[in-house]
C-alpha cells in the first residue's frame, strides 16, 4: 500500500490543511493539495483513512502560490486570501458536523503580518546549524532562514555558531515587538556551569537573558533556571502590556492575539464580576478590568500567575485577582460572565458542569481548536445556551491553525 501513486480530484480542504478526495476505495487525505486541483499523490502506509503527499499538480488552483516548503507552514502554498477563507470553512464545518448547530460564522480576522509574526521559536542544535524539530517521521531539517519568526529572532539566529552552543541540544527564543529584545532558553542535561560558554555566545549574539531548562517530555516541565541577564521581557497584547519569557506560555502573534482579546472583552460586556478560567498571566482578564467591578483569573500554572501578579502591580489595576486553581472546581466564585481560553483539548467535562451550574449568564469562549470548541458549544446549546457571534481569527498565517472568538448567552 505504501508508496503507491494515485491520481485524485481534490474536493475541499479539511482541518489540518489536508485536501479531501475520493476514489472507489473511499476517502483519501492529501497534504499539499488545494480544492479543485487534480494531483498525483504518493500514499503513505498506515492505519485508518488513507493519507498521502502531493507529488505533482496536474491541474493548478488559481489560489496556489509558490511558498517555502517548511515543516512549520502547511498552508504556505495558498494565497493569504484563500487561507482566511479556508479557516472560516474549518469553523463552519465543525459547527455543522460536530456541534450540529446551524449558525453564521464571520469572516476570518487577518493577522496584521502574514510573515515574520512569530515571537517565539524552538530549534534543534545540530552540527549543520539550527534545525526544525522533527515532525511526522522526518529527521531534523536545517535551515538558513525562518520566514515565520520576528526579525529580532532571525538576527540573533544568524549570528549563532552551533559549535559554541554545545552541550545544548535545543534552543528556544522569545522576542518582543514592543522593546525589540530577545530572551533565550537553552535545553540540555547538566549543571548551569556546563552551559556558560553557550550562554555567553547567546548574549554576544544579542539576547538580553539566557535560562537553562532540563530536557523533559512536556516542554519546560523539569524546571528552568536563569543563567544570565533577564528572564522576562515586556510585550504589548491589545490594550495591555505583559511580561513574557522564553519558557512560559504566551500567544506567538501578539498583534493578532491583541485584536482577539479586545473583541473578547467587547463580547463580555459589563458587570459586577468576571472570571477568566485558564487565564494564565491574565492578558484577556486585564482587558475586562475597566468594565467589571472585579475580575478573577484562575489558572494552575504558578509561573503564569506570578507573572500576572507582577504585571498588575506595575500597571496599577486594583480589581484583578489571581487564584491558583483548576477550571473544574471554581463554583464558589459568584460570577456574571465567564471567559475561557482552554488548551487544545477544550473544556473538561467537569469544567462544563461548573459553568452550567454557575451564576453566569454569558460565556465568552476563545479557542484554538474548532473540533473541541464545537463539541463544547454543541453541549451548551443543548443545555439552553444560545450561540452569538462566532469570529475566526488568524494567529498563525501560512498554517492551517485557526483561533475562534465566540459568545454564548443563557
Amino acid at each position: 500500500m505504501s508508496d503507491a501513486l494515485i491520481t485524485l480530484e481534490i474536493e475541499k480542504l479539511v482541518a489540518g490543511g489536508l485536501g479531501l478526495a475520493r476514489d472507489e476505495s473511499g476517502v483519501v487525505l492529501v497534504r499539499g493539495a488545494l480544492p479543485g486541483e487534480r494531483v498525483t499523490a504518493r500514499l503513505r502506509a498506515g492505519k485508518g483513512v488513507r493519507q498521502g503527499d502531493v507529488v505533482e499538480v496536474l491541474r493548478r488552483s488559481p489560489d496556489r502560490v509558490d511558498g517555502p516548503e517548511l515543516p512549520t507552514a502547511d498552508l504556505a502554498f495558498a494565497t493569504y486570501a484563500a487561507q482566511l477563507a479556508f479557516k472560516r470553512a474549518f469553523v463552519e464545518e465543525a459547527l455543522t458536523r460536530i456541534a450540529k448547530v446551524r449558525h453564521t460564522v464571520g469572516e476570518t480576522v487577518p493577522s496584521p503580518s502574514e510573515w515574520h509574526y512569530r515571537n517565539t521559536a524552538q530549534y534543534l542544535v545540530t552540527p549543520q546549524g539550527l534545525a526544525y524539530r522533527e515532525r511526522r517521521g522526518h529527521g531534523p531539517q536545517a535551515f538558513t532562514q525562518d520566514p515565520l519568526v520576528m526579525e529580532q529572532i532571525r538576527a540573533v539566529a544568524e549570528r549563532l555558531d552551533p559549535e559554541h552552543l554545545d552541550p545544548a541540544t535545543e534552543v528556544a527564543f522569545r522576542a518582543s515587538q514592543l522593546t525589540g529584545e530577545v530572551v533565550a532558553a537553552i535545553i540540555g542535561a547538566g549543571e548551569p556551569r556546563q552551559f556558560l560558554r553557550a550562554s555567553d555566545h547567546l548574549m554576544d549574539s544579542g539576547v538580553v537573558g539566557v535560562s537553562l531548562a532540563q530536557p523533559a517530555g512536556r516542554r519546560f516541565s523539569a524546571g528552568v533556571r536563569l543563567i544570565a541577564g533577564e528572564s522576562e521581557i515586556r510585550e504589548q497584547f491589545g490594550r495591555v502590556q505583559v511580561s513574557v519569557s522564553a519558557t512560559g506560555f504566551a500567544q506567538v502573534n501578539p498583534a493578532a492575539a491583541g485584536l482577539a482579546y479586545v473583541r473578547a472583552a467587547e463580547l463580555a460586556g459589563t458587570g459586577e464580576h468576571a472570571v477568566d478560567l485558564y487565564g494564565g498571566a491574565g492578558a484577556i482578564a486585564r482587558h475586562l478590568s475597566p468594565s467589571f467591578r472585579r475580575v478573577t483569573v484562575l489558572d494552575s500554572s504558578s509561573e503564569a500567575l506570578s507573572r500576572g501578579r507582577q504585571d498588575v502591580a506595575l500597571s496599577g489595576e486594583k480589581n484583578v485577582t489571581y487564584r491558583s486553581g483548576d477550571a473544574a472546581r471554581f463554583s464558589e466564585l459568584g460570577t456574571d460572565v465567564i471567559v475561557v481560553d482552554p488548551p487544545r483539548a477544550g473544556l473538561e467535562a467537569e469544567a462544563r458542569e461548573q459553568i452550567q451550574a454557575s451564576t453566569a449568564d454569558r460565556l465568552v469562549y476563545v479557542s484554538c481548536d474548532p473540533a473541541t470548541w464545537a463539541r463544547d458549544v454543541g453541549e451548551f446549546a443543548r443545555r439552553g445556551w444560545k450561540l452569538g457571534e462566532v469570529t475566526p481569527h488568524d494567529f498563525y498565517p501560512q498554517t492551517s491553525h485557526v483561533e475562534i472568538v465566540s459568545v454564548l448567552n443563557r
Side-chain angles (χ1 to χ4, degrees):
M1 180 70 188
S2 131
D3 286 337
L5 285 179
I6 181 171
T7 300
L8 298 163
E9 296 276 343
I10 306 300
E11 292 175 24
K12 62 176 180 179
L13 214 61
V14 297
L18 301 167
L20 182 142
R22 294 171 216 266
D23 65 3
E24 59 284 354
S25 307
V27 168
V28 187
L29 297 177
V30 183
R31 190 166 294 284
L34 291 174
E37 291 190 329
R38 184 176 173 81
V39 301
T40 303
R42 174 172 283 114
L43 295 184
R44 293 197 297 271
K47 293 186 171 63
V49 175
R50 291 168 300 155
Q51 296 205 16
D53 299 282
V54 168
V55 176
E56 190 186 353
V57 179
L58 304 171
R59 184 177 67 242
R60 195 179 157 109
S61 161
D63 293 326
R64 181 174 283 276
V65 293
D66 297 326
E69 288 210 16
L70 303 171
T72 50
D74 57 9
L75 268 189
F77 58 93
T79 65
Y80 192 52
Q83 292 178 34
L84 296 175
F86 294 143
K87 293 181 188 204
R88 181 191 193 186
F90 296 160
V91 178
E92 289 172 332
E93 163 105 348
L95 259 185
T96 51
R97 190 173 55 83
I98 301 168
K100 307 278 192 281
V101 169
R102 294 187 66 79
H103 195 77
T104 310
V105 173
E107 300 280 337
T108 307
V109 176
S111 166
S113 306
E114 295 171 28
W115 298 95
H116 299 295
Y117 60 84
R118 278 190 74 100
N119 68 358
T120 187
Q122 187 171 335
Y123 302 121
L124 293 170
V125 178
T126 75
Q128 289 73 47
L130 298 182
Y132 292 113
R133 303 174 79 204
E134 302 180 41
R135 285 161 191 259
R136 291 206 317 277
H138 299 297
Q141 185 182 329
F143 63 91
T144 47
Q145 257 200 17
D146 183 343
L148 297 188
V149 299
M150 283 183 183
E151 219 42 59
Q152 294 89 330
I153 294 177
R154 187 190 63 77
V156 170
E158 275 185 355
R159 297 187 197 112
L160 290 178
D161 176 348
E163 214 173 288
H164 292 141
L165 293 176
D166 189 67
T169 52
E170 296 186 58
V171 60
F173 299 101
R174 174 82 67 177
S176 165
Q177 198 77 62
L178 179 70
T179 66
E181 296 168 310
V182 181
V183 283
I186 42 191
I187 294 127
E191 288 303 310
R193 60 188 157 73
Q194 294 168 256
F195 295 90
L196 292 179
R197 182 178 78 139
S199 168
D200 288 346
H201 181 51
L202 280 160
M203 296 292 279
D204 291 344
S205 301
V207 307
V208 299
V210 180
S211 299
L212 171 65
Q214 299 299 315
R218 200 163 56 79
R219 290 178 71 208
F220 310 123
S221 59
V224 177
R225 283 188 283 184
L226 182 65
I227 305 182
E230 306 292 322
S231 61
E232 293 165 0
I233 48 182
R234 306 285 296 161
E235 182 58 285
Q236 186 83 27
F237 283 85
R239 300 189 182 120
V240 303
Q241 279 186 26
V242 301
S243 47
V244 293
S245 69
T247 57
F249 176 79
Q251 287 292 356
V252 308
N253 186 340
L259 296 174
Y261 295 170
V262 167
R263 188 65 195 135
E266 289 166 355
L267 292 175
T270 60
E272 187 68 19
H273 184 202
V275 175
D276 183 4
L277 300 182
Y278 312 91
I284 297 180
R286 290 172 57 208
H287 280 85
L288 306 173
S289 156
S291 306
F292 289 84
R293 204 169 69 78
R294 288 190 300 136
V295 179
T296 304
V297 179
L298 197 74
D299 201 274
S300 55
S301 160
S302 54
E303 184 271 341
L305 293 169
S306 137
R307 275 193 291 121
R309 288 185 184 110
Q310 279 171 281
D311 289 341
V312 295
L314 272 175
S315 65
E317 286 143 310
K318 297 273 187 283
N319 62 340
V320 181
T321 309
Y322 288 83
R323 289 186 45 169
S324 176
D326 185 341
R329 296 190 258 301
F330 75 94
S331 54
E332 74 283 7
L333 309 170
T335 172
D336 310 326
V337 175
I338 294 170
V339 177
V340 295
D341 184 3
R344 200 164 289 287
L347 298 170
E348 306 103 314
E350 296 89 336
R352 297 199 294 272
E353 284 303 328
Q354 294 290 13
I355 291 167
Q356 184 64 24
S358 74
T359 54
D361 53 19
R362 178 167 297 167
L363 172 66
V364 177
Y365 195 148
V366 180
S367 168
C368 62
D369 188 289
T372 57
W373 167 82
R375 174 202 69 199
D376 296 346
V377 161
E379 181 178 321
F380 285 123
R382 286 187 290 279
R383 298 178 79 168
W385 295 73
K386 191 165 168 43
L387 186 59
E389 180 181 309
V390 176
T391 307
H393 281 250
D394 190 17
F395 289 13
Y396 298 89
Q398 318 308 328
T399 80
S400 58
H401 294 294
V402 59
E403 297 276 327
I404 303 160
V405 177
S406 63
V407 65
L408 296 111
N409 294 288
R410 282 210 224 231

